[in-house]
Amino acid sequence: MIAATIVALAWVAGGQALLGRIDPALAIPLLAPPMLLLAWWQRGEPVAARRRACLLTLALVAITQALLGVVLAGSAAWLQLLLAIIAGGIAAWLADRIIQWRSPSKLLSWLAGFLLVVGWFGAGHALLATLYRPASASAGAPAVTMLTGLPLRWSASPSIAAMIAEGTNDDPALARLAAAGPVSLVDSLADHVPPPGGTLLIAHPRALAPQELVAIDAFVRGGGRAVVLADALSGWPARHPLGDPRNAPVTSLLTPLLDHWGVMLGAAPAQESKPLPADVAGARLRLFSAGRLDRLPTACRAYADRRAAQCRIGQGEVWLVGDADLLFAPLWRPLVPGAYHLRQADTMEWLSARLWRGAGNSLLHPLWIRARTT
């Protein structure tokens, strides 16, 4: 009964169902109430019987969560299970101490139980936020050169004076990337090609001059690394009236470059109404109106039903994604700011790992329920 309660709490209140994950660790902040209930039911039993009941409960929780993980996600997440079992044992011991405490006042016992529930909940979330926190780029890592037509920098204020007063007001995606490692946002690649060892991020740019396309191709073929987000039909919210050139391009303007690489980006599906979960190289991305890479050279490996691909171009490497809306903050940011364990996608972690070596990794990883990409 208690084991089923813990699993149900993790699924509903822990965020597993909401986030599309089956992480055993998400049950940790919710362990105190069921353990208090178990301790109350067993309050008249000998110590040995109470311990057996606790161990049996934790074993059933571990078996159930492991089975759910294997069936729904293809992994039992053993490290998360071990952490949850240890946390469950500590919560059970504290709950038993409170129930067995011969308090001079019943009110004090209730207060102790309440403090355990509240304190455990807060401490559990703080612990998980730390364990899921992605690593930043190492000190001295080269800056990523970023070219984009998306409105990631500057405020939406109507006047120049207001913009200067408010400051840059970076979009959450740009702020998150800047927290992971150094980023150099440029308006043109004609004179801003990444240095040797650097990386290029091209996110749905405006029309590029021929010399810029040549510079990108030469950088990659010479051994550079690049991530290219080419959206077939952008759903990025427009800040300005329809037709205003300050808005993001409606569709990708990288066709000449992609053609040169032997890639053809197909049209986005019409009237797509909700984000699409896509598994790419072990990470979960959430795409919206993403186009398929209908033609790819043989040196490419496709993911997510050809919505993303990893390609060797000359001596370099390019990651291609047929969507730039994946940077839109509501599709990836955690439900609570700073709560990395409650994130809705691995988008920024996936990007960080491709832009800076060693970035984006964390001790615990989300165990996503398998995506059904069509």
Side-chain angles (χ1 to χ4, degrees), residues 9 13 36 125 145 182 184 186 188 202 273 316 318 326:
L9 281 173
L36 278 170
H125 278 292
T145 301
S184 176
V186 300
S188 171
I202 304 175
S273 59
V318 175
L326 81 170

Side-chain angles (χ1 to χ4, degrees), residues 15 98 102 107 110 135 172 177 181 197 206 229 243 279 282 315 323 333 345 351 370 372:
I98 290 175
R102 299 190 180 279
L107 180 61
W110 279 98
L177 287 174
R206 296 179 174 85
L229 310 180
D279 295 329
Q315 300 299 314
D323 183 43
R333 65 183 168 191
L351 266 177
R370 288 189 183 98
R372 295 183 178 182

Side-chain angles (χ1 to χ4, degrees), residues 31-81:
L31 288 172
M35 288 307 178
L36 278 170
L37 182 59
L38 176 64
W40 184 79
W41 277 346
Q42 298 286 318
R43 63 189 182 279
E45 300 293 331
V47 174
R50 299 202 303 271
R51 289 176 178 171
R52 284 196 299 269
C54 173
L55 291 174
L56 178 60
T57 297
L58 293 176
L60 290 175
V61 170
I63 292 171
T64 304
Q65 278 288 168
L67 289 175
L68 287 172
V70 170
V71 172
L72 298 177
S75 172
W78 296 112
L79 181 58
Q80 290 195 38
L81 276 176

Side-chain angles (χ1 to χ4, degrees), residues 230-233 251 264-269 289-295 306 322:
D231 206 314
L233 180 62
T251 188
M264 184 175 71
L265 178 63
S289 65
R292 284 186 174 89
L293 303 167
D294 291 334
R295 187 179 73 236
R306 303 178 76 89

Side-chain angles (χ1 to χ4, degrees), residues 37-256:
L37 182 59
L38 176 64
W40 184 79
W41 277 346
Q42 298 286 318
R43 63 189 182 279
E45 300 293 331
V47 174
R50 299 202 303 271
R51 289 176 178 171
R52 284 196 299 269
C54 173
L55 291 174
L56 178 60
T57 297
L58 293 176
L60 290 175
V61 170
I63 292 171
T64 304
Q65 278 288 168
L67 289 175
L68 287 172
V70 170
V71 172
L72 298 177
S75 172
W78 296 112
L79 181 58
Q80 290 195 38
L81 276 176
L82 177 61
L83 182 63
I85 293 304
I86 294 174
I90 296 173
W93 180 80
L94 292 173
D96 184 71
R97 293 293 86 200
I98 290 175
I99 296 300
Q100 296 298 323
W101 177 39
R102 299 190 180 279
S103 169
S105 169
K106 192 173 183 180
L107 180 61
L108 287 177
S109 296
W110 279 98
L111 179 60
F114 174 77
L115 291 177
L116 174 62
V117 171
V118 173
W120 185 273
F121 182 82
H125 278 292
L127 173 65
L128 293 184
T130 301
L131 295 177
Y132 280 86
R133 182 189 300 275
S136 300
S138 58
V144 168
T145 301
M146 182 177 183
L147 180 67
T148 182
L150 301 173
L152 302 183
R153 174 152 286 176
W154 306 110
S155 69
S157 300
S159 68
I160 295 296
M163 290 174 64
I164 294 174
E166 292 180 10
T168 56
N169 192 24
D170 287 349
D171 182 87
L174 183 57
R176 177 67 178 78
L177 287 174
V183 178
S184 176
L185 191 63
V186 300
D187 295 324
S188 171
L189 289 175
D191 300 312
H192 297 92
V193 179
T199 308
L200 181 60
L201 173 58
I202 304 175
H204 200 58
R206 296 179 174 85
L208 301 180
Q211 59 266 35
E212 293 182 279
L213 298 175
V214 171
I216 295 170
D217 182 62
F219 167 74
V220 173
R221 291 186 185 277
R225 294 180 296 125
V227 177
V228 178
L229 310 180
D231 206 314
L233 180 62
S234 175
W236 200 279
R239 291 181 174 180
H240 308 285
L242 187 65
D244 193 308
R246 291 174 294 178
N247 291 327
V250 175
T251 188
S252 173
L253 301 176
L254 291 171
T255 301

